[in-house]
Amino acid sequence: MTKTWKELPEGGLITESGNAHQYETGDWRNLRPVHDREKCINCLFCWIYCPDSAIIVKDGKVVGIDYAHCKGCGICARECPDKVKAIKMVDESEYE
Ligand code: SF4
Ligand code: SF4
């Protein structure tokens, strides 16, 4: 007998909004963004572009990276201005 879509098992469901902080997606990362406070000019491009809101800002300055949620996409490092390049992507294996 042919199954219809109604018999298929349910996949992952998002049952409530605003729950991303409950899921620590940092385990997926194979490259770690490392921030250099000495080079940083606090333009906050990295904070604006990070898709996981993992750039931690306090009083208008980058103070760290939320590694529990950063997936290591590298967008922050890419968007950091060429003349600054205050974020470097480093292989996670160097931190094991
Ligand atoms: S690597 Fe990606 S997820 Fe991690 S802080 Fe940078 S932009 Fe955000
Ligand atoms: S994009 Fe680069 S210079 Fe700008 S706040 Fe982020 S790390 Fe600092």
Side-chain angles (χ1 to χ4, degrees):
M1 190 174 102
T2 307
K3 285 189 176 182
T4 69
W5 65 271
K6 290 179 182 172
E7 281 81 49
L8 292 174
E10 289 182 359
L13 297 175
I14 297 172
T15 56
E16 58 180 300
S17 61
N19 62 2
H21 67 282
Q22 296 172 25
Y23 300 96
E24 298 197 350
T25 47
D27 287 355
W28 304 0
R29 190 179 57 244
N30 64 354
L31 292 175
R32 175 183 296 218
V34 177
H35 177 241
D36 184 335
R37 282 193 197 195
E38 298 299 315
K39 288 186 183 173
C40 180
I41 58 172
N42 293 298
C43 66
L44 302 188
F45 282 174
C46 56
W47 176 70
I48 291 167
Y49 283 103
C50 174
D52 290 304
S53 301
I55 303 290
I56 304 167
V57 173
K58 192 171 177 194
D59 298 328
K61 294 185 177 177
V62 175
V63 294
I65 294 171
D66 173 6
Y67 290 121
H69 293 96
C70 162
K71 298 191 190 84
C73 65
I75 291 174
C76 54
R78 174 78 178 261
E79 295 301 329
C80 187
D82 286 342
K83 66 176 183 189
V84 183
K85 287 298 174 208
I87 299 179
K88 192 169 124 185
M89 300 304 290
V90 179
D91 199 298
E92 265 307 314
S93 63
E94 293 185 27
Y95 292 90
E96 286 172 357

